[in-house]
Amino acid sequence: MPELKLPQLPDRTPIKLSITITPDLASALGAYAAAYREAYGKEEPVAELIPAILACFLENDRAFSRGRGRP
């Protein structure tokens, strides 16, 4: 088999997660979706934004990254 520079792709199987949130958080997420629409000119449902928001939060939490052995 040839040596490829691209490593094998990770598992990308989506996992459905159901959560319950407070009315205040629902309102804040709605406001965030409105700000996103204003910034980018494209409306995205809150459910589509939440995974990106969570990923961004985890990627930028330095203490969490250090705890997982990432610089």
Side-chain angles (χ1 to χ4, degrees), residues 16-64:
K16 186 169 178 96
L17 179 65
S18 178
I19 64 169
T20 302
I21 60 174
T22 64
D24 288 345
L25 181 55
S27 177
L29 288 169
Y32 192 91
Y36 182 94
R37 181 181 60 246
E38 187 174 320
Y40 297 109
K42 183 175 183 204
E43 187 167 349
E44 293 287 350
V46 169
E48 294 293 323
L49 293 173
I50 290 173
I53 292 168
L54 289 172
C56 183
F57 175 83
L58 292 174
E59 288 169 11
N60 290 294
D61 187 319
R62 293 175 191 247
F64 179 72

Side-chain angles (χ1 to χ4, degrees), residues 59 61-62 65-66 68-71:
E59 288 169 11
D61 187 319
R62 293 175 191 247
S65 294
R66 280 192 304 272
R68 294 186 74 197
R70 296 183 181 162

